[in-house]
Amino acid sequence: MTTAVLREMRWWDIEPVLELEKDLFPEDAWSRGMFWSDLAHARGPGATRRYVVAEIAGDAAGGARIVGYGGLAAAGDVGDVQTIAVAREHWGTGLGAQILTELLRAATAFECAEVMLECRVDNIRAQKLYERFGFEAIGFRRGYYQPGNVDALVMRLNDPSTSVQGTEING
């Protein structure tokens, strides 16, 4: 399998990201506006967001293809993983861990003392990934994911700098 490369997400990535989003999260996919809004805060000296895409090189017939993405928002000393997604054919390859590593690196750069996230209670694969990085379950948000009315498990990581190991990314 071809290795994916992480790079900063830009506005022209929104359409392919939306395709992946709708495939992976058909009931509660993010909207185009949600991605636009977060990307508006991802550049410049006052940036409070970090979004990345994972792409694999195309063959002779086509260009690069996005196979994953993730985003983090920072507010004060708290970071929040907004989203992480990996195309099904790349599950189990370590790509989710690579994306999470980059988001925790961003949280460290934003000087976040802790990182929070919500995860569907039925997404055991994601929960195991977060636990490997040291996230701990701290509560639930009932009916968080709509319209399916699925609960979210709230998880927290204290000191994200301790979970960051090295991959460099282009941005």
Side-chain angles (χ1 to χ4, degrees):
M1 181 164 290
T2 306
T3 303
V5 175
L6 296 185
R7 65 168 174 76
E8 178 183 9
M9 184 176 171
R10 299 300 303 273
W11 66 266
W12 50 82
D13 297 316
I14 291 175
E15 290 307 316
V17 163
L18 280 173
E19 288 177 27
L20 190 52
E21 177 83 2
K22 289 172 185 170
D23 177 54
L24 295 170
F25 311 111
E27 287 188 354
D28 46 23
W30 277 33
S31 69
R32 181 176 290 103
M34 292 168 77
F35 281 109
W36 271 104
S37 178
D38 268 15
L39 287 182
H41 299 282
R43 293 181 66 87
T48 58
R49 307 286 193 277
R50 175 71 168 151
Y51 275 75
V52 295
V53 293
E55 64 182 9
I56 56 173
D59 56 21
R65 185 169 65 93
I66 292 176
V67 294
Y69 56 91
L72 176 114
D77 65 350
V78 177
D80 191 81
V81 174
Q82 302 290 292
T83 185
I84 291 182
V86 173
R88 285 181 177 82
E89 69 268 19
H90 289 270
W91 287 1
T93 65
L95 183 55
Q98 188 180 352
I99 293 169
L100 183 55
T101 296
E102 176 55 29
L103 298 181
L104 295 177
R105 183 177 291 114
T108 301
F110 284 132
E111 299 180 353
C112 296
E114 64 182 8
V115 176
M116 307 289 292
L117 60 81
E118 292 87 17
C119 179
R120 288 176 63 110
V121 294
D122 57 359
N123 191 342
I124 304 303
R125 174 187 298 274
Q127 291 171 35
K128 288 180 186 259
L129 169 66
Y130 301 138
E131 288 168 358
R132 281 199 338 255
F133 276 76
F135 281 85
E136 296 177 341
I138 61 168
F140 294 93
R141 293 184 191 218
R142 303 286 177 212
Y144 183 79
Y145 292 99
Q146 293 297 327
N149 202 37
V150 177
D151 295 345
L153 178 65
V154 180
M155 302 182 83
R156 177 178 59 212
L157 173 67
N158 291 315
D159 193 6
S161 67
T162 62
S163 294
V164 175
Q165 321 106 9
T167 56
E168 289 300 314
I169 106 157
N170 301 319

